[in-house]
Amino acid sequence: MTLLRAVARPMLASMFITGGVMALRKPGALAHKAQPVADVLRKVAPQANLSPTNLIRLNSAVHVAAGATLATGHLPRTSALVLAATMPATTVAGHPFWNETDPVARKNQFTHFMKNVSLTGGLLLSTLDPDPHKPWLGRRARNTAIAAKDTIVDQLDDLRG
């Protein structure tokens, strides 16, 4: 891992780990923000029966786990993709600046909304960041397919003889 990756990944992950830990400690404090998401999930999958508090716990656990794996460089692209996938719901539910009537509160929520958009962009870029010591999954799959083709061609040549 390069020095840049060794420093940048934990920096990017820090927001998710700290935020996740804080939310896990007091999920009830954020439950009201998860209520709209819980309502949508109840309509889509009524059998899931996820309460807003449990949604906060689940999201927080994902943030801590994926943030830790991103920070330590274990499955960094997968971790970044998982975190990026959680961000739209987290951002819209957590920072609905369009509902604020107070200009100061509206500006604060807008700033946090844009921070989350920026973090999502960084995470998406991280999903494309190739580890210099390991080819990207698509490249590995392609190399495996080429090797399999070459093996089959060699075996056919041996049969023809």
Side-chain angles (χ1 to χ4, degrees):
M1 184 177 345
T2 66
L3 178 60
L4 180 61
R5 284 180 181 87
V7 173
R9 286 178 180 158
M11 289 172 66
L12 182 57
S14 66
M15 188 70 174
F16 297 97
I17 295 169
T18 58
V21 168
M22 287 191 302
L24 278 172
R25 285 184 175 168
K26 296 184 180 181
L30 297 171
H32 69 282
K33 291 189 174 203
Q35 187 64 54
V37 177
D39 292 342
V40 169
L41 288 176
R42 256 189 227 107
K43 290 177 186 172
V44 174
Q47 68 279 10
N49 196 22
L50 286 172
S51 70
T53 303
N54 285 339
L55 282 176
I56 295 294
R57 287 183 181 124
L58 176 63
N59 189 60
S60 300
V62 168
H63 281 194
V64 171
T69 57
L70 177 63
T72 58
H74 293 91
L75 300 171
R77 291 176 287 200
T78 303
S79 302
L81 184 60
V82 167
L83 289 169
T86 68
M87 291 303 288
T90 300
T91 302
V92 170
H95 305 293
F97 65 90
W98 52 89
N99 290 337
E100 293 293 339
T101 54
D102 176 39
V104 174
R106 184 182 188 98
K107 184 177 180 182
N108 184 39
Q109 288 299 322
F110 180 75
T111 299
H112 286 293
F113 184 94
M114 294 310 295
K115 172 208 48 146
N116 282 8
V117 170
S118 298
L119 281 170
T120 305
L123 290 166
L124 291 174
L125 282 173
S126 294
T127 66
L128 302 174
D129 180 33
D131 187 332
H133 305 293
K134 188 174 182 182
W136 180 68
L137 181 62
R139 172 62 70 181
R140 285 183 283 170
R142 181 176 178 204
N143 290 347
T144 301
I146 289 170
K149 177 199 63 113
D150 291 344
T151 300
I152 291 169
V153 168
D154 288 345
Q155 288 176 353
L156 288 173
D157 287 344
D158 288 345
L159 288 174
R160 290 184 196 139

